[in-house]
Amino acid sequence: MIRVLVVDDQALVRDGFSVILDAQPDIAVVGEAGDGEEAVSAALALRPDVVLMDVRMPRLDGIGATTRICAETDARVLVLTTFDVDEYVYDALHAGASGFLLKDMRRDELVAAVRTIAAGEALLAPTVTRRLIAEMVHRERSAPAGRRPEGRLSALTARETDTLRLVARGLSNAEIAAEMFVTEHTVKTHVSNLLTKLGLRDRVQAVVLAYESGLVVPGTGLAQPGAGREATSPD
């Protein structure tokens, strides 16, 4: 059973998500919270598998709550954003979130997202990804040279670097295997190795690092919407 904590400052939103998720045979909503402080307390007490996290909330926002929950529990955080007004998704990923989706998603997309995150995978909404990449590029260009993460990539082999570049472009394991003329098992090994060497939690963080470091730049072939969740799975 997947244990879920629903966090949003609007009771109607919390109730709606809870009804949808509780209707599933393999998901149970174990608690709700109306702000970040409540979310942290609930996560520590209830130990959910997945936390649905709003961004803008009173007392403690979703970024601060995500930072503390990821540091103090094993729960995986899925950030929910309204896209046009939330400017902090980038920071949420750095805080340890495993992905983010739009609040106007369909019911089946919400259920699938919770199952995906609970399975240890990462999830990015393609439409939000383009906004995220633009923000990453802006920050990378404005950051002092000494603070940019290029040096971290030196730990990778040439094949692992190639794999990271293709992961950041949004290719699935099968597509990467075809591009590199190797088996999918080999791709999975490269992905696992590069995540370990770079100290990353999942492929979402790998995408962030790839763009921050300049390994991949916009316009080099990011996956199109609907390309499938495997493009951001950790395998």
Side-chain angles (χ1 to χ4, degrees), residues 143-204:
R147 296 181 58 187
R148 296 177 188 171
E150 292 94 333
R152 294 177 62 183
L153 301 185
S154 62
L156 304 181
T157 66
R159 296 298 268 177
E160 290 165 354
T161 301
D162 289 341
T163 302
L164 176 58
R165 183 180 293 107
L166 296 173
V167 166
R169 285 175 49 194
L171 273 65
S172 68
N173 286 339
E175 291 168 336
I176 293 173
E179 186 88 7
M180 297 178 63
F181 300 102
V182 296
T183 66
E184 287 189 53
H185 176 74
T186 298
V187 173
K188 291 181 180 181
T189 299
H190 287 329
V191 171
S192 177
N193 288 344
L194 71 88
L195 292 178
T196 299
K197 288 182 179 180
L198 297 174
L200 303 176
R201 184 171 182 170
D202 51 41
R203 286 171 76 147
V204 171

Side-chain angles (χ1 to χ4, degrees), residues 61-119:
D61 65 21
I63 298 169
T66 296
T67 301
R68 291 174 57 183
I69 289 172
C70 289
E72 300 175 36
T73 77
D74 293 327
R76 294 174 64 82
V77 177
L78 175 60
V79 175
L80 301 176
T81 172
T82 52
F83 180 53
D84 287 329
V85 297
D86 293 333
E87 303 169 353
Y88 309 115
V89 175
Y90 176 92
D91 298 310
L93 294 179
H94 273 285
S98 295
F100 56 89
L101 287 176
L102 302 182
K103 280 187 177 179
D104 63 357
M105 75 189 91
R106 301 190 309 270
R107 291 188 177 201
D108 60 323
E109 290 176 330
L110 174 63
V111 173
V114 168
R115 289 173 177 151
T116 296
I117 295 298

